[in-house]
Amino acid sequence: QAQLVESGGASVQPGNSLTLSCTSRDFTLEYYAIGWFRQAPGKEREGVSCIAASDGTTYYGNGVKGRFTISRDNAKGTVLLQMNSLEPGDTAVYFCATGGPCWPPISSREFTSWGKGTLVNVSS
């Protein structure tokens, strides 16, 4: 499967917002479940959010529910992750991926095609 590409990472202060984007030049994301994952130093890669291909159902990790929103912009061929009320604990490299199921747990082991990641740093 084609590699995915993330963008939008930045350094921001707590309480700020960022929107990450995921895209692929080689296939249409609209037809695939897309997951967002993150990995902080010394920690396992964890599932952040996922949007299903079949019915568009969205899923969120416990630590981000209510703050993050995943959506599709099919006109632009992207999947977005809107992140609000960012906390220092959100600091991580964020990856988008496909090839796995969205239902909990959103497991990185189930996904087969990955981007290289984009860094989000939340600090004062």
Side-chain angles (χ1 to χ4, degrees):
Q1 294 181 299
Q3 186 179 47
L4 304 180
V5 180
E6 308 92 342
S7 62
S11 294
V12 299
Q13 294 183 324
N16 216 326
S17 299
L18 283 173
T19 299
L20 306 182
S21 298
C22 176
T23 190
S24 172
R25 292 184 177 272
D26 299 318
F27 61 93
T28 304
L29 300 189
E30 179 180 1
Y31 304 132
Y32 297 87
I34 303 296
W36 283 99
F37 300 81
R38 66 186 182 186
Q39 189 164 21
K43 294 188 176 182
E44 295 289 322
R45 189 169 298 184
E46 65 173 328
V48 174
S49 186
C50 194
I51 185 165
S54 57
D55 60 2
T57 302
T58 57
Y59 302 84
Y60 297 93
N62 291 334
V64 306
K65 186 175 295 184
R67 298 188 296 120
F68 291 10
T69 302
I70 190 170
S71 63
R72 296 183 184 272
D73 186 343
N74 290 331
K76 296 182 179 179
T78 62
V79 172
L80 307 176
L81 183 68
Q82 175 69 45
M83 306 185 295
N84 297 325
S85 301
L86 284 164
E87 305 168 352
D90 297 318
T91 296
V93 177
Y94 283 71
F95 303 85
C96 64
T98 192
C102 270
W103 52 83
I106 308 171
S107 174
S108 64
R109 301 291 296 271
E110 301 290 339
F111 286 74
T112 57
S113 295
W114 292 81
K116 294 181 179 179
T118 186
L119 177 63
V120 173
N121 184 34
V122 185
S123 65
S124 300

CSV table of all heavy atoms in Angstrom, one decimal, residues 2 5 10 13 25 29 36 40 43 47-48 57-58 60 69 79 81 90 94 99 104 106 110-111 117:
chain,number,residue,atom,x,y,z
A,2,ALA,N,0.4,2.3,-0.5
A,2,ALA,CA,1.1,3.6,-0.6
A,2,ALA,C,1.3,4.2,0.7
A,2,ALA,O,0.5,4.1,1.6
A,2,ALA,CB,0.4,4.5,-1.6
A,5,VAL,N,1.1,10.6,4.2
A,5,VAL,CA,1.8,11.8,4.5
A,5,VAL,C,1.0,12.6,5.5
A,5,VAL,O,-0.1,13.0,5.2
A,5,VAL,CB,2.2,12.6,3.3
A,5,VAL,CG1,3.0,13.8,3.6
A,5,VAL,CG2,3.0,11.7,2.3
A,10,ALA,N,3.3,21.2,15.0
A,10,ALA,CA,3.9,22.5,15.4
A,10,ALA,C,4.1,22.5,16.9
A,10,ALA,O,3.7,21.6,17.6
A,10,ALA,CB,3.0,23.7,15.0
A,13,GLN,N,1.4,26.4,22.7
A,13,GLN,CA,1.2,26.4,24.2
A,13,GLN,C,-0.1,25.7,24.6
A,13,GLN,O,-1.0,25.5,23.8
A,13,GLN,CB,1.0,27.9,24.6
A,13,GLN,CG,2.3,28.7,24.4
A,13,GLN,CD,2.1,30.1,24.9
A,13,GLN,OE1,1.1,30.7,24.8
A,13,GLN,NE2,3.2,30.7,25.5
A,25,ARG,N,-0.9,10.3,-2.2
A,25,ARG,CA,-0.9,10.6,-3.7
A,25,ARG,C,-1.3,9.4,-4.5
A,25,ARG,O,-1.6,9.5,-5.7
A,25,ARG,CB,0.5,11.1,-4.1
A,25,ARG,CG,0.8,12.5,-3.6
A,25,ARG,CD,2.2,12.9,-4.2
A,25,ARG,NE,2.5,14.3,-3.7
A,25,ARG,CZ,2.1,15.4,-4.3
A,25,ARG,NH1,1.4,15.3,-5.4
A,25,ARG,NH2,2.5,16.6,-3.8
A,29,LEU,N,-8.2,8.2,0.0
A,29,LEU,CA,-8.4,7.9,1.4
A,29,LEU,C,-9.9,7.7,1.8
A,29,LEU,O,-10.2,7.0,2.7
A,29,LEU,CB,-7.9,9.0,2.3
A,29,LEU,CG,-6.4,9.3,2.2
A,29,LEU,CD1,-6.0,10.3,3.3
A,29,LEU,CD2,-5.6,8.0,2.3
A,36,TRP,N,-5.5,7.8,13.4
A,36,TRP,CA,-4.4,8.6,13.9
A,36,TRP,C,-3.8,8.0,15.1
A,36,TRP,O,-4.6,7.6,16.0
A,36,TRP,CB,-4.9,10.0,14.2
A,36,TRP,CG,-5.1,10.9,13.0
A,36,TRP,CD1,-6.3,11.2,12.4
A,36,TRP,CD2,-4.1,11.7,12.3
A,36,TRP,NE1,-6.1,12.0,11.3
A,36,TRP,CE2,-4.8,12.4,11.3
A,36,TRP,CE3,-2.7,11.8,12.5
A,36,TRP,CZ2,-4.1,13.2,10.4
A,36,TRP,CZ3,-2.1,12.7,11.7
A,36,TRP,CH2,-2.7,13.3,10.6
A,40,ALA,N,4.8,9.2,22.1
A,40,ALA,CA,5.7,10.0,22.9
A,40,ALA,C,6.9,9.3,23.3
A,40,ALA,O,7.0,8.1,23.3
A,40,ALA,CB,4.9,10.5,24.2
A,43,LYS,N,7.3,5.8,25.3
A,43,LYS,CA,5.9,5.2,25.4
A,43,LYS,C,5.6,4.4,24.1
A,43,LYS,O,6.2,4.7,23.0
A,43,LYS,CB,4.9,6.3,25.6
A,43,LYS,CG,5.0,7.0,27.0
A,43,LYS,CD,3.8,7.9,27.2
A,43,LYS,CE,3.9,8.5,28.6
A,43,LYS,NZ,2.7,9.4,28.9
A,47,GLY,N,-3.4,4.5,19.9
A,47,GLY,CA,-4.4,5.0,19.0
A,47,GLY,C,-5.1,6.3,19.5
A,47,GLY,O,-5.5,6.3,20.7
A,48,VAL,N,-5.2,7.3,18.7
A,48,VAL,CA,-5.8,8.5,19.0
A,48,VAL,C,-7.2,8.6,18.5
A,48,VAL,O,-8.1,9.0,19.3
A,48,VAL,CB,-4.9,9.7,18.5
A,48,VAL,CG1,-5.6,11.0,18.7
A,48,VAL,CG2,-3.6,9.7,19.1
A,57,THR,N,-18.2,6.1,10.9
A,57,THR,CA,-18.2,6.2,12.3
A,57,THR,C,-16.8,6.6,12.8
A,57,THR,O,-15.8,6.1,12.3
A,57,THR,CB,-18.6,4.8,12.9
A,57,THR,OG1,-19.9,4.5,12.4
A,57,THR,CG2,-18.6,4.8,14.4
A,58,THR,N,-16.8,7.4,13.9
A,58,THR,CA,-15.5,7.9,14.4
A,58,THR,C,-15.3,7.3,15.8
A,58,THR,O,-16.2,7.0,16.6
A,58,THR,CB,-15.5,9.4,14.5
A,58,THR,OG1,-16.6,9.8,15.3
A,58,THR,CG2,-15.6,10.0,13.1
A,60,TYR,N,-12.4,7.4,19.3
A,60,TYR,CA,-11.4,8.2,19.9
A,60,TYR,C,-10.8,7.5,21.1
A,60,TYR,O,-11.5,6.7,21.8
A,60,TYR,CB,-12.0,9.6,20.4
A,60,TYR,CG,-12.5,10.4,19.3
A,60,TYR,CD1,-13.9,10.3,18.9
A,60,TYR,CD2,-11.7,11.3,18.6
A,60,TYR,CE1,-14.3,11.1,17.8
A,60,TYR,CE2,-12.1,12.0,17.6
A,60,TYR,CZ,-13.5,11.9,17.2
A,60,TYR,OH,-13.9,12.7,16.1
A,69,THR,N,-11.2,15.9,17.1
A,69,THR,CA,-12.3,15.6,16.1
A,69,THR,C,-11.6,15.1,14.8
A,69,THR,O,-10.8,15.8,14.3
A,69,THR,CB,-13.2,16.7,15.8
A,69,THR,OG1,-13.8,17.2,17.0
A,69,THR,CG2,-14.3,16.3,14.9
A,79,VAL,N,-7.7,13.4,5.4
A,79,VAL,CA,-8.4,13.2,6.6
A,79,VAL,C,-7.7,14.1,7.7
A,79,VAL,O,-6.5,14.2,7.7
A,79,VAL,CB,-8.2,11.7,7.1
A,79,VAL,CG1,-8.7,11.5,8.5
A,79,VAL,CG2,-9.0,10.8,6.1
A,81,LEU,N,-7.4,15.8,11.6
A,81,LEU,CA,-7.5,15.7,13.0
A,81,LEU,C,-7.4,17.0,13.7
A,81,LEU,O,-6.4,17.6,13.7
A,81,LEU,CB,-6.4,14.8,13.6
A,81,LEU,CG,-6.5,14.5,15.1
A,81,LEU,CD1,-7.8,13.6,15.4
A,81,LEU,CD2,-5.3,13.8,15.6
A,90,ASP,N,-0.2,15.8,25.3
A,90,ASP,CA,-0.5,15.5,23.9
A,90,ASP,C,0.8,15.5,23.1
A,90,ASP,O,0.8,15.2,21.9
A,90,ASP,CB,-1.5,16.5,23.3
A,90,ASP,CG,-2.8,16.4,24.0
A,90,ASP,OD1,-3.3,15.2,24.2
A,90,ASP,OD2,-3.4,17.4,24.3
A,94,TYR,N,2.8,12.4,15.7
A,94,TYR,CA,1.5,11.9,15.3
A,94,TYR,C,1.6,11.3,13.9
A,94,TYR,O,2.2,11.8,13.0
A,94,TYR,CB,0.5,13.0,15.3
A,94,TYR,CG,0.0,13.4,16.7
A,94,TYR,CD1,0.9,14.1,17.6
A,94,TYR,CD2,-1.3,13.1,17.1
A,94,TYR,CE1,0.4,14.4,18.8
A,94,TYR,CE2,-1.7,13.4,18.3
A,94,TYR,CZ,-0.9,14.1,19.2
A,94,TYR,OH,-1.3,14.4,20.5
A,99,GLY,N,-5.4,0.4,6.9
A,99,GLY,CA,-5.2,-1.0,6.8
A,99,GLY,C,-5.7,-1.8,8.0
A,99,GLY,O,-5.7,-3.0,8.0
A,104,PRO,N,-12.6,-0.1,18.8
A,104,PRO,CA,-11.6,-0.2,19.9
A,104,PRO,C,-11.2,-1.6,20.2
A,104,PRO,O,-12.0,-2.6,20.1
A,104,PRO,CB,-12.4,0.4,21.1
A,104,PRO,CG,-13.4,1.2,20.5
A,104,PRO,CD,-13.8,0.6,19.2
A,106,ILE,N,-8.0,0.8,19.2
A,106,ILE,CA,-7.4,1.3,17.9
A,106,ILE,C,-5.9,0.9,18.0
A,106,ILE,O,-5.1,1.6,18.6
A,106,ILE,CB,-7.6,2.8,17.7
A,106,ILE,CG1,-9.0,3.2,17.8
A,106,ILE,CG2,-7.0,3.2,16.4
A,106,ILE,CD1,-9.3,4.7,17.9
A,110,GLU,N,-2.5,-3.4,14.0
A,110,GLU,CA,-3.5,-3.8,13.0
A,110,GLU,C,-3.3,-3.0,11.7
A,110,GLU,O,-3.9,-3.4,10.7
A,110,GLU,CB,-4.9,-3.7,13.5
A,110,GLU,CG,-5.2,-4.5,14.7
A,110,GLU,CD,-5.2,-6.0,14.5
A,110,GLU,OE1,-5.4,-6.4,13.3
A,110,GLU,OE2,-5.0,-6.8,15.4
A,111,PHE,N,-2.6,-1.9,11.7
A,111,PHE,CA,-2.5,-1.0,10.6
A,111,PHE,C,-1.2,-1.3,9.8
A,111,PHE,O,-0.2,-1.5,10.4
A,111,PHE,CB,-2.6,0.4,11.0
A,111,PHE,CG,-4.0,0.8,11.4
A,111,PHE,CD1,-4.5,0.4,12.6
A,111,PHE,CD2,-4.7,1.6,10.6
A,111,PHE,CE1,-5.8,0.8,13.0
A,111,PHE,CE2,-6.0,2.0,11.0
A,111,PHE,CZ,-6.5,1.6,12.2
A,117,GLY,N,5.1,10.6,10.1
A,117,GLY,CA,4.8,11.3,11.4
A,117,GLY,C,5.1,12.8,11.3
A,117,GLY,O,5.8,13.3,10.5
